[in-house]
Amino acid sequence: MTGFYGEHSKVWVSVDCIIFGFDEGKLKVLVGKRQMDPGRGEWSLYGGFVRSDESIDDAANRVLFELTGLRNLYMRQVGAFGSVDRDPGERVVSIAYYALISVNDYDDDLRLQHGVEWVNIDDIPRMYSDHNDMVLKARKLMRQKLSTEPIGFRLLPSLFTLTQLQRLYEAVYGEDLDKRNFRKRIKDMYFIEKTELIDKKGSKRGAALYRFNKRIYNEGPSFKL
């Protein structure tokens, strides 16, 4: 380290991760009780400080892997949160990221080990500092992205029904969608393949199972729902 910038005050940089999941027709977020001061015991997102030898993206990926045990997750930056009084401990600027995971891929033992839980996004309690603001902004950005890219499939199992897909869009947008209109619109989703498999959990007749074909999507025209 050099002696440059010694006349300037030090600012800490951290990352906070908004991890979205979809379960039982609800959009959910992983939250837990803060395990350090200040704010010990308050509800909080999961995060950490950026190390001197890593970029902010690397720091976010490290934090996500520590919490989920999963790599190559869909992750996007939400923005910087740097109010002077956002952290009573030190002058901390946090870079927020949101990530999408399939709840079924997440080892529940690891969730319990970290003391986090899935909470319905509409029932999130008051959290530490500006973490609620991070969630609100992340959801807004995810809504925008979902209208132009099929990112929602990262929240679904590999095989899903059209009803599950509609419930996902309703959960993200926070409003009910007309079934007939939705089915018409998803016909433009040329990258959704109908399989020969049937899901009989909902009824004796069952519902057809579909899957997302990434190759066809990458080779096809632009998409907008």
Side-chain angles (χ1 to χ4, degrees):
M1 300 295 289
T2 68
F4 298 127
Y5 315 129
E7 71 275 18
H8 299 287
S9 59
K10 181 181 291 186
V11 175
W12 298 88
V13 179
S14 67
V15 293
D16 283 297
C17 297
I18 304 104
I19 303 175
F20 289 113
F22 179 69
D23 189 36
E24 299 178 343
K26 303 293 184 180
L27 182 65
K28 299 188 176 184
V29 180
L30 268 182
V31 300
K33 294 294 184 70
R34 189 171 166 87
Q35 300 177 12
M36 60 183 291
D37 293 319
R40 186 184 298 271
E42 295 183 32
W43 287 104
S44 172
L45 296 171
Y46 196 82
F49 286 99
V50 179
R51 297 170 180 170
S52 60
D53 62 345
E54 63 184 0
S55 68
I56 55 175
D57 285 355
D58 289 340
N61 277 307
R62 170 177 55 81
V63 168
L64 286 171
F65 179 73
E66 290 173 356
L67 180 60
T68 67
L70 302 172
R71 297 191 185 277
N72 301 317
L73 294 174
Y74 180 89
M75 180 186 78
R76 291 294 184 273
Q77 189 179 123
V78 176
F81 292 75
S83 297
V84 174
D85 58 351
R86 66 173 303 274
D87 192 311
E90 294 285 352
R91 179 74 172 94
V92 180
V93 173
S94 181
I95 314 300
Y97 289 80
Y98 78 85
L100 310 180
I101 70 172
S102 170
V103 172
N104 295 331
D105 293 339
Y106 187 21
D107 187 341
D108 204 52
D109 290 336
L110 193 58
R111 179 187 66 79
L112 294 173
Q113 175 184 325
H114 286 284
V116 294
E117 59 186 88
W118 289 109
V119 177
N120 184 347
I121 193 169
D122 295 320
D123 299 326
I124 292 178
R126 179 60 204 170
M127 293 192 290
Y128 177 76
S129 186
D130 47 13
H131 288 190
N132 290 81
D133 295 333
M134 293 179 180
V135 174
L136 289 174
K137 186 173 182 181
R139 187 182 193 181
K140 180 179 179 181
L141 293 175
M142 182 169 61
R143 285 171 174 166
Q144 295 172 351
K145 184 67 71 172
L146 188 62
S147 67
T148 58
E149 294 182 26
I151 62 172
F153 295 105
R154 295 179 178 269
L155 295 167
L156 292 169
S158 57
L159 295 174
F160 53 86
T161 66
L162 294 184
T163 297
Q164 285 177 301
L165 183 61
Q166 180 174 339
R167 295 289 178 267
L168 170 64
Y169 275 82
E170 290 175 335
V172 173
Y173 287 117
E175 60 183 26
D176 293 335
L177 301 175
D178 180 77
K179 180 179 178 179
R180 183 179 298 179
N181 289 336
F182 183 78
R183 296 292 173 95
K184 288 180 179 179
R185 293 166 70 183
I186 62 174
K187 286 183 179 179
D188 293 332
M189 296 184 183
Y190 53 89
F191 41 80
I192 295 180
E193 289 184 334
K194 185 178 181 180
T195 72
E196 298 179 352
L197 302 174
I198 300 294
D199 177 19
K200 294 187 177 181
K201 295 179 181 179
S203 65
K204 292 183 179 180
R205 182 180 178 183
L209 286 167
Y210 293 75
R211 64 185 167 213
F212 170 62
N213 189 316
K214 185 177 181 180
R215 179 186 60 80
I216 291 178
Y217 171 71
N218 289 335
E219 295 176 354
S222 60
F223 156 74
K224 185 174 182 180
L225 181 66

